[in-house]
Amino acid sequence: MLVSQNLNIKKPYQGYTYSYPHKSTYREFSPIELSDIWKGENSAFFYMHIPFCEMRCGFCNLFTVSNPKESVSKYLESMQLHMKQILEVIPDLQLKNFAIGGGTPTFLTIDELDLLLKSMVDFGVDTQRFFGSIEASPKTLTKEKIELVESYKISRLSMGIQSWVQDEMKTLGRPQKIESTLKAVENIADSNVEEFNLDLIYGVHNQNKESFVYSLKKTIEYQPTEIFLYPLYIRKLTGLGIKNQKQSLHQFELYLTGRDFLLSHGYVQTSMRCFRRKGTINCRPQSNYSPVTDNMIGVGAGARSYTENLHYSTDYAVKSKEIKNIIADYTNTKNFKSVNYGVSLNKEEQKRRFLIKSLTDGGSLNQRLYHDIFNINPFEDFQLLNQLIERNWLLEIRPDVYALNQEGMCYEDVIGPALYSEKSKQLMSDFEWK
């Protein structure tokens, strides 16, 4: 049986594990050809990364820079070259859904964004057939850009508003005016985009129950398809981290307040963070994409790619100066047909990734599929799963398929890190942040 650490539920915010292994486990290695990495693989989720924003929020550790002086057009040209060379190596690549993230994709001008979307279609993304998502910010999202998103039939538009209280925005290090937020949200709500998501953050040190409920009430006025409640994490080298800012001492209580408010106002909880409007749960077109077992291929500086045995990307940094250097290296690259930075996954790491992706972010654990892949029952392999059953957090929702219940979802940020291997934890600890 593989060892997992015990659950420490007194500290419910230990780490957001939306992927595994974490990017801080990546290291430089001898170049490997894409043709070798993708041998026998020809399907993947497609991701594009735009590492530009109009501002850098105080809590942000994403791979992005604000108001770049470098040529954005040169970056887009490099992305086109990147896609062209991928297709030369994997000519039969079949795509399964897509996302455009960052950074802020809507930071691009309307012409630049149109060019990006055309390039994506030329790469093989059928935006009308596949479910796709694009991220935006209030200040950069215009009616014209929303209309462009509509014209490509992109299914989902996601925007972080974080709070409707100006003082909380200031504390978050986000110089965003409520007027800009209001205008952008109204424009999305009035659009024909199939789905839209709004993000809120809880745990700001000057936030209280009343101010959080105010933001929740203001958000549901526009009936977004999804509302994500993100806990404030203060990470190394971010603006809030440098200032040694603290989260609210009542962060978990704020979460419960937000959860209960949305559950009583027409939303259904699908994960710790995600709340989906009733009546829209089964509205998405059916897809054969699985975030648990499928590959991902990324384009752009900071974009990650996954296969069964290898995860890779460009170098990683948080400081603006270091990120700019990595972006410059990307735009000067002429050969994207090999990679030299990432992490390999042995069978143990593949098992841990399978469980983390199954148990968090609204996933479900398919016991039979795990056995088919790894030739062992997951409950025999990981004692942690039995602990979750004993706590009544993990329930069988249909034969051989398990999912976290409402109480279990509260502790996704405990369950995910509890499944990290000792090797991954050591690599994360040794990572030199820059």
Side-chain angles (χ1 to χ4, degrees):
M1 178 173 286
L2 295 174
V3 176
S4 300
Q5 67 186 63
N6 291 324
L7 296 173
N8 179 7
I9 63 174
K10 292 182 179 180
K11 295 182 178 180
Y13 301 107
Q14 296 175 26
Y16 177 23
T17 313
Y18 62 89
S19 185
Y20 180 82
H22 190 271
K23 210 168 183 179
S24 59
T25 65
Y26 291 18
R27 298 293 188 272
E28 191 171 339
F29 50 69
S30 298
I32 304 175
E33 297 298 316
L34 282 186
S35 56
D36 293 329
I37 296 170
W38 289 87
K39 186 176 182 179
E41 304 282 357
N42 68 348
S43 66
F45 184 97
F46 180 60
Y47 175 69
M48 302 181 79
H49 192 81
I50 305 299
F52 309 124
C53 294
E54 82 278 8
M55 58 186 174
R56 186 77 182 268
C57 302
F59 54 86
C60 178
N61 73 334
L62 298 177
F63 189 87
T64 188
V65 293
S66 60
N67 294 311
K69 295 179 181 178
E70 300 82 0
S71 173
V72 174
S73 61
K74 186 178 179 183
Y75 180 80
L76 297 179
E77 289 172 5
S78 294
M79 293 183 78
Q80 291 175 298
L81 177 63
H82 193 171
M83 286 185 276
K84 178 177 180 292
Q85 293 187 3
I86 287 173
L87 288 182
E88 290 173 358
V89 175
I90 321 170
D92 299 322
L93 181 63
Q94 302 295 314
L95 302 175
K96 298 180 175 182
N97 297 350
F98 66 94
I100 308 168
T104 310
T106 53
F107 172 83
L108 302 177
T109 67
I110 190 78
D111 290 339
E112 290 168 342
L113 186 58
D114 190 24
L115 174 63
L116 179 75
L117 297 176
K118 283 180 179 176
S119 300
M120 186 176 70
V121 171
D122 291 342
F123 183 71
V125 176
D126 186 337
T127 57
Q128 298 192 44
R129 175 186 170 198
F130 301 138
F131 185 87
S133 180
I134 186 169
E135 296 176 10
S137 68
K139 190 174 180 180
T140 64
L141 188 64
T142 63
K143 280 188 176 181
E144 291 75 21
K145 291 176 185 177
I146 294 174
E147 289 169 358
L148 182 64
V149 169
E150 289 176 332
S151 72
Y152 279 89
K153 305 295 183 183
I154 294 175
S155 306
R156 180 177 182 269
L157 199 157
S158 178
M159 187 167 70
I161 58 175
Q162 318 315 350
S163 173
W164 288 96
V165 179
Q166 195 68 63
D167 283 348
E168 291 178 2
M169 297 303 297
K170 183 178 180 181
T171 302
L172 284 169
R174 186 177 175 108
Q176 172 182 300
K177 299 298 182 184
I178 299 301
E179 293 79 6
S180 298
T181 304
L182 182 63
K183 184 177 180 180
V185 174
E186 287 177 345
N187 286 339
I188 301 173
D190 291 339
S191 75
N192 293 317
V193 176
E194 184 181 338
E195 296 190 3
F196 75 98
N197 164 75
L198 299 177
D199 296 338
L200 294 174
I201 283 181
Y202 63 93
V204 187
H205 83 89
N206 61 338
Q207 189 178 49
N208 56 40
K209 179 178 177 180
E210 289 72 25
S211 67
F212 189 39
V213 169
Y214 171 79
S215 286
L216 291 162
K217 287 181 177 179
K218 188 68 177 175
T219 301
I220 65 170
E221 286 181 17
Y222 302 97
Q223 288 293 287
T225 318
E226 290 179 335
I227 298 173
F228 273 68
L229 303 183
Y230 282 100
L232 176 63
Y233 274 98
I234 297 178
R235 299 178 173 94
K236 293 180 180 179
L237 304 183
T238 62
L240 297 185
I242 292 170
K243 292 179 180 179
N244 198 28
Q245 182 66 271
K246 303 297 182 184
Q247 293 103 320
S248 167
L249 296 175
H250 309 289
Q251 192 166 21
F252 192 67
E253 288 80 2
L254 287 170
Y255 166 71
L256 296 178
T257 294
R259 180 198 68 181
D260 293 345
F261 177 89
L262 292 177
L263 293 178
S264 65
H265 285 80
Y267 283 79
V268 177
Q269 186 173 18
T270 62
S271 74
M272 177 183 174
R273 289 163 170 76
C274 181
F275 297 81
R276 193 166 174 89
R277 198 175 72 237
K278 287 181 180 177
T280 66
I281 297 296
N282 297 313
C283 291
R284 288 182 177 177
Q286 293 298 310
S287 169
N288 61 351
Y289 167 70
S290 167
V292 176
T293 57
D294 280 340
N295 304 317
M296 183 169 88
I297 195 154
V299 170
R304 294 198 258 195
S305 296
Y306 308 142
T307 63
E308 181 182 27
N309 302 315
L310 183 70
H311 291 193
Y312 63 89
S313 72
T314 59
D315 198 357
Y316 175 61
V318 177
K319 289 182 178 179
S320 293
K321 180 180 178 181
E322 300 294 341
I323 293 174
K324 288 176 181 178
N325 290 337
I326 296 169
I327 293 172
D329 287 342
Y330 179 84
T331 57
N332 290 324
T333 298
K334 302 303 178 186
N335 179 11
F336 291 101
K337 294 184 179 181
S338 65
V339 298
N340 68 344
Y341 188 75
V343 63
S344 60
L345 279 69
N346 60 21
K347 283 299 179 184
E348 178 187 345
E349 297 292 33
Q350 291 172 29
K351 289 177 178 181
R352 292 179 183 276
R353 174 177 169 77
F354 186 105
L355 293 182
I356 287 170
K357 297 294 286 184
S358 296
L359 295 175
T360 61
D361 282 353
S364 59
L365 171 59
N366 189 317
Q367 176 180 273
R368 186 174 301 172
L369 179 59
Y370 185 98
H371 185 277
D372 289 346
I373 295 173
F374 301 113
N375 199 33
I376 189 171
N377 186 309
F379 291 91
E380 296 175 9
D381 220 5
F382 285 87
Q383 180 59 36
L384 177 67
L385 299 180
N386 299 298
Q387 292 180 36
L388 297 177
I389 293 286
E390 291 168 5
R391 288 179 179 271
N392 201 36
W393 289 0
L394 186 65
L395 305 179
E396 190 172 20
I397 57 175
R398 55 184 183 273
D400 291 324
V401 178
Y402 295 78
L404 294 175
N405 63 5
Q406 191 177 93
E407 185 176 5
M409 288 180 192
C410 293
Y411 297 99
E412 285 184 17
D413 285 11
V414 177
I415 294 168
L419 285 163
Y420 293 177
S421 70
E422 291 302 318
K423 178 182 177 182
S424 284
K425 287 189 285 188
Q426 188 62 54
L427 286 168
M428 293 169 68
S429 176
D430 293 343
F431 185 73
E432 294 184 10
W433 292 86
K434 57 184 181 181

